[in-house]
Amino acid sequence: MPNPNPGPIDTPSNHGPIVDVVTWFLMAATILAVVARVWTKFAISRRLTSDDYMIFAALALSIGQGIAISLQTSNGAGRHQVALSASQLDKYYKCDYTSNLLFILNLCSTKLSVLQMLKTITPVKQHIRMAMGAGAFVLVWSFASELVSAFQCSVPETWKPIGNKCIDRTSFWTSYGVLNLVTESALVMLPLVIVWKIQTKTMNKAIIFLCFASRIMVLAGIIVQLIYVNRARDTTDETFDTWPTVLSAGTVQSLSIITACIPCLKPFLESLESGMLRSDDLRRRGMGGIHGYGSHQLSELSSSKSNSKKEKSQFSPNSSQNKHFETLPNFSTVVSVNRNEDRERDSDSQKSSSRIIKYTRTWAVE
């Protein structure tokens, strides 16, 4: 039965509630960031790309980790170990074990999403190779870290450090954190190298770089995490002394996803188009512009397109007038702008055809 007077959210002997509140807040912020990213990209380009699906995977892993941390809190995180039952302590270690596995996979998916985005925005082969090399390193490093974390203690109770033979977990997480710092630094510096080559205004370059440089917040979170991991190296009260480590891990994974979503916001995409994406590439992708206007209009005016094709077929295939007309850019869009004329054509095709023949003869006279 729940206590009707739960008391303060945080006490000197129980820091679990604050961990729980911050975890759920970060989870909500992460979900909102991903929703904003997907909505913005879909509104602009009408499609999602592989980096978006990687962020979806990272979000799912983040939610799983958040739930694991919440269960870990309810089973003793932030409380003194002597106050816990054997059952609670066993559940605490299982939740901690699950949270750590999801943490590694989460960061791997997020880093690969950022690298994939960098690959798609640069035409320079050297930059693409750099991003692919960094991605290969992240995959190998994450896979190895996942194996070590999964078998940190002897089987079958690999999650249980008490009464079991285990690796030096503090050393492992310290080495992981250092490599995490290195890879995050690369995700900050690589966009700077790419942006430096963009032929665009200095302001646009600054916007693009600052969007990626927001991952400096992740670097700060990793440093804090490393500090708390090493502070609890020789602890004899793990459930109480490691609550800041648990909280910092949740913060790092949330910041990693949130900052990966920032480059997909509208100001970044507009600056990117003016400096790197060519208009013909946008047309080739069916976007027609940074706001997706072309693709929206073309899909909206499909009936106008069919009318335009009927009108085109009335030109002679060998006439110079027809060839000139075919070379006009966005011909179907030009025709579809005059919607009142389209309606008149639909209602009176005979009259419309006569006007087209008359117009053709005028070109022939010239």
Side-chain angles (χ1 to χ4, degrees):
M1 181 176 178
N3 185 0
N5 298 309
I9 193 172
D10 185 64
T11 64
S13 61
N14 185 11
H15 299 293
I18 194 67
V19 176
D20 216 20
V21 170
V22 174
T23 297
W24 286 101
F25 171 79
L26 291 173
M27 187 187 300
T30 304
I31 293 172
L32 289 175
V34 174
V35 169
R37 170 196 175 119
V38 173
W39 182 87
T40 303
K41 287 195 68 176
F42 191 78
I44 290 174
S45 63
R46 299 295 176 184
R47 69 191 186 99
L48 299 178
T49 51
S50 57
D51 56 298
D52 298 309
Y53 297 116
M54 293 177 185
I55 280 294
F56 281 138
L59 177 62
L61 293 166
S62 175
I63 293 174
Q65 190 202 15
I67 294 173
I69 291 176
S70 182
L71 292 174
Q72 189 177 357
T73 301
S74 64
N75 284 283
R79 287 181 283 170
H80 291 287
Q81 191 165 321
V82 293
L84 305 178
S85 64
S87 176
Q88 284 180 312
L89 196 58
D90 188 62
K91 291 178 181 178
Y92 167 88
Y93 283 120
K94 286 181 179 179
C95 293
D96 182 63
Y97 176 82
T98 304
S99 175
N100 290 336
L101 293 176
L102 294 175
F103 176 77
I104 295 172
L105 293 175
N106 182 354
L107 293 188
C108 176
S109 183
T110 307
K111 292 176 194 290
L112 292 177
S113 174
V114 175
L115 290 169
Q116 181 63 27
M117 185 189 305
L118 291 174
K119 284 172 56 182
T120 59
I121 68 175
T122 177
V124 182
K125 291 184 179 180
Q126 182 182 3
H127 297 163
I128 295 175
R129 287 194 293 266
M130 292 170 62
M132 292 179 65
F137 176 80
V138 169
L139 275 174
V140 174
W141 161 61
S142 299
F143 179 74
S145 300
E146 189 77 0
L147 284 179
V148 174
S149 183
F151 297 100
Q152 61 182 358
C153 298
S154 300
V155 292
E157 296 180 328
T158 55
W159 69 87
K160 190 175 181 180
I162 297 179
N164 203 354
K165 185 178 181 180
C166 302
I167 63 171
D168 186 344
R169 293 186 299 154
T170 301
S171 297
F172 165 71
W173 285 111
T174 299
S175 62
Y176 179 87
V178 171
L179 288 176
N180 201 11
L181 279 173
V182 172
T183 54
E184 283 297 332
S185 299
L187 293 181
V188 174
M189 297 307 298
L190 185 56
L192 178 60
V193 175
I194 294 174
V195 170
W196 189 261
K197 300 292 184 180
I198 298 177
Q199 299 298 322
T200 186
K201 297 178 182 179
T202 303
M203 180 59 70
N204 289 338
K205 289 185 178 183
I207 292 174
I208 296 171
F209 174 68
L210 288 175
C211 286
F212 285 101
S214 62
R215 295 192 70 82
I216 292 176
M217 292 187 290
V218 182
L219 290 173
I222 296 171
I223 293 172
V224 172
Q225 183 185 14
L226 283 172
I227 292 172
Y228 282 118
V229 164
N230 284 275
R231 279 187 180 178
R233 174 180 289 273
D234 300 320
T235 182
T236 57
D237 192 3
E238 183 174 341
T239 57
F240 183 80
D241 292 336
T242 60
W243 74 267
T245 306
V246 174
L247 184 59
S248 60
T251 303
V252 166
Q253 62 91 16
S254 292
L255 287 176
S256 183
I257 296 177
I258 292 171
T259 53
C261 294
I262 292 176
C264 293
L265 299 182
K266 186 176 178 181
F268 167 80
L269 294 174
E270 289 179 337
S271 300
L272 185 64
E273 182 198 19
S274 63
M276 191 168 285
L277 294 180
R278 300 173 299 171
S279 59
D280 62 332
D281 181 58
L282 290 175
R283 287 195 299 271
R284 187 164 59 250
R285 296 186 182 192
M287 293 168 66
I290 194 64
H291 298 292
Y293 175 78
S295 60
H296 176 67
Q297 287 294 93
L298 292 178
S299 62
E300 189 180 66
L301 303 177
S302 58
S303 60
S304 299
K305 276 188 172 182
S306 61
N307 290 334
S308 302
K309 290 180 181 178
K310 292 180 181 178
E311 293 168 5
K312 284 183 179 180
S313 65
Q314 299 190 28
F315 289 105
S316 171
N318 297 323
S319 64
S320 60
Q321 300 92 331
N322 188 27
K323 293 179 182 178
H324 175 71
F325 241 96
E326 289 177 350
T327 59
L328 286 175
N330 299 327
F331 175 69
S332 61
T333 306
V334 174
V335 173
S336 64
V337 170
N338 299 320
R339 297 189 181 185
N340 292 330
E341 289 186 16
D342 291 335
R343 296 191 184 97
E344 292 175 3
R345 291 185 184 121
D346 291 335
S347 61
D348 193 355
S349 60
Q350 181 65 33
K351 186 176 179 180
S352 174
S353 300
S354 64
R355 285 202 301 270
I356 294 173
I357 295 172
K358 185 176 180 180
Y359 185 72
T360 306
R361 290 173 181 173
T362 301
W363 278 101
V365 171
E366 292 182 356

